[in-house]
Structures are given as C-alpha cells and as structure tokens.
Amino acid sequence: MSLQSAQYLRQAEVLKADMTDSKLGPAEVWTSRQALQDLYQKMLVTDLEYALDKKVEQDLWNHAFKNQITTLQGQAKNRANPNRSEVQANLSLFLEAASGFYTQLLQELCTVFNVDLPCRVKSSQLGIISHKQTHTSAIVKPQSSSCSYICQHCLVHLGDIVPYNSPLLGRLQVTSIVRSESW
C-alpha cells in the first residue's frame, strides 16, 4: 500500500459526503462526482491491489454512477413530474457519460497493465491515443488475476449501463463478451 493510495481514499470519503450534502446544488454535486471518478480511476491504475482490497471498484460504481442512475430513473418514471422529459434527457446523457467513463477506464487499464482482450481495439490502432508516458515507478504491479477481474468488472458495468437505453441488446452483447473470455 502506498501512502498516496491511503490519502486518495480519505479524499474519496470527503467527496462522497459532499455528494449527499443536501445544501449543495447540482453543479457542486456533479463536480464532486467527477472528482470522485478521477480519484478512483487513479487508485485503480496506480495501486490496483490496494484499490481492490478497499473495494474501490464497487464504491466507484455505486457512488459515482448507480445512485445517480437510480435517482434519475425514479424521476423519469414519475408521470406527475412536470420536468419528466428533461430528466429523461439528463438520464440519457448521464448513461452516455458512464459508458464513456468505463470504456476509457478499460482502455487505460488494458494499456497500463498490458492486458489483451479480444473484444478490445488497441488505442494505437484507433489513432486516437498514443502510448502515453506513464510514470511506471508510481504504479504498483498487480497480479494478473486482479487485472482480469477489473477488466471484467468494467465490462459488466458497461453491460449494466446499456440496457437502460436498449434493454435486451446491450446486456446480450456484453454478456457474450464476458462469457467468451477465459478468466
């Protein structure tokens, strides 16, 4: 465990408290959610074993995504809500952002930990991201089983996100990818 990871965890607790503070407006909560995502992503990339031990990947999903999705779904289903169409649009945007986050996280994890997934196109093949210089001395090398677990975790949550927009199709696509992997 690095001292930096423990400090990130303390910062995450503050951000999670901010996200549930009823005195904060939507912009401040959004900012705290983004900061929490960034912080947890750093932890997962730099000290995966510690992050998994502290269940950071579960906290990331629950606090940065699932809780907000659940809240927006409840508001969108409420037929008495006069802002229902706006909430549905916000939900759609949030789901796109969540999908983008997990896709990008999966790309970064695979690149940093040199994980080869058959379903993944390497960043260099896309011409979008060059092999960025990562301070490898700051990264604690994880076990390969931990790398496989976190990649599977990303794929599962991508499968959790897609059905909100296309209920059957997304789950079937991601489920077939996860099942085809030899974890």
Side-chain angles (χ1 to χ4, degrees):
M1 171 195 78
S2 71
L3 187 58
Q4 186 69 46
S5 294
Q7 185 178 3
Y8 286 160
L9 212 51
R10 286 190 296 278
Q11 291 172 352
E13 292 303 318
V14 171
L15 291 167
K16 289 190 301 187
D18 285 349
M19 290 167 47
T20 58
D21 187 347
S22 60
K23 297 176 199 156
L24 294 180
E28 291 88 0
V29 171
W30 181 264
T31 301
S32 293
R33 183 178 297 108
Q34 291 296 120
L36 184 67
Q37 290 172 19
D38 293 344
L39 198 59
Y40 278 161
Q41 183 171 354
K42 281 182 203 172
M43 285 184 71
L44 289 166
V45 171
T46 58
D47 197 349
L48 182 60
E49 296 296 340
Y50 179 77
L52 294 178
D53 185 52
K54 297 298 180 183
K55 303 198 181 308
V56 164
E57 78 286 4
Q58 292 174 22
D59 241 22
L60 171 63
W61 170 248
N62 289 328
H63 293 279
F65 298 105
K66 183 180 177 211
N67 293 347
Q68 181 66 8
I69 291 168
T70 302
T71 298
L72 289 171
Q73 279 183 314
Q75 293 172 357
K77 288 179 182 175
N78 180 358
R79 296 192 188 278
N81 184 351
N83 300 323
R84 189 170 171 221
S85 61
E86 182 182 335
V87 171
Q88 288 173 329
N90 285 336
L91 175 59
S92 182
L93 286 172
F94 188 77
L95 292 170
E96 287 295 321
S99 178
F101 175 84
Y102 275 102
T103 300
Q104 187 274 331
L105 177 61
L106 181 63
Q107 284 286 98
E108 184 174 10
L109 291 166
C110 288
T111 300
V112 170
F113 299 134
N114 199 27
V115 176
D116 187 27
L117 296 178
C119 63
R120 177 183 161 260
V121 176
K122 290 183 174 70
S123 302
S124 58
Q125 292 173 310
L126 296 172
I128 298 171
I129 304 172
S130 62
H131 236 55
K132 66 178 181 179
Q133 297 294 335
T134 308
H135 298 292
T136 53
S137 61
I139 296 173
V140 178
K141 184 163 175 55
Q143 298 175 22
S144 65
S145 61
S146 297
C147 295
S148 294
Y149 169 80
I150 195 62
C151 289
Q152 183 178 15
H153 180 83
C154 289
L155 289 168
V156 166
H157 287 306
L158 282 167
D160 289 339
I161 294 164
V162 175
Y164 295 112
N165 286 331
S166 174
L168 183 58
L169 178 63
R171 189 54 144 169
L172 289 175
Q173 287 175 339
V174 175
T175 302
S176 67
I177 291 169
V178 170
R179 288 187 179 153
S180 72
E181 297 300 316
S182 56
W183 305 98

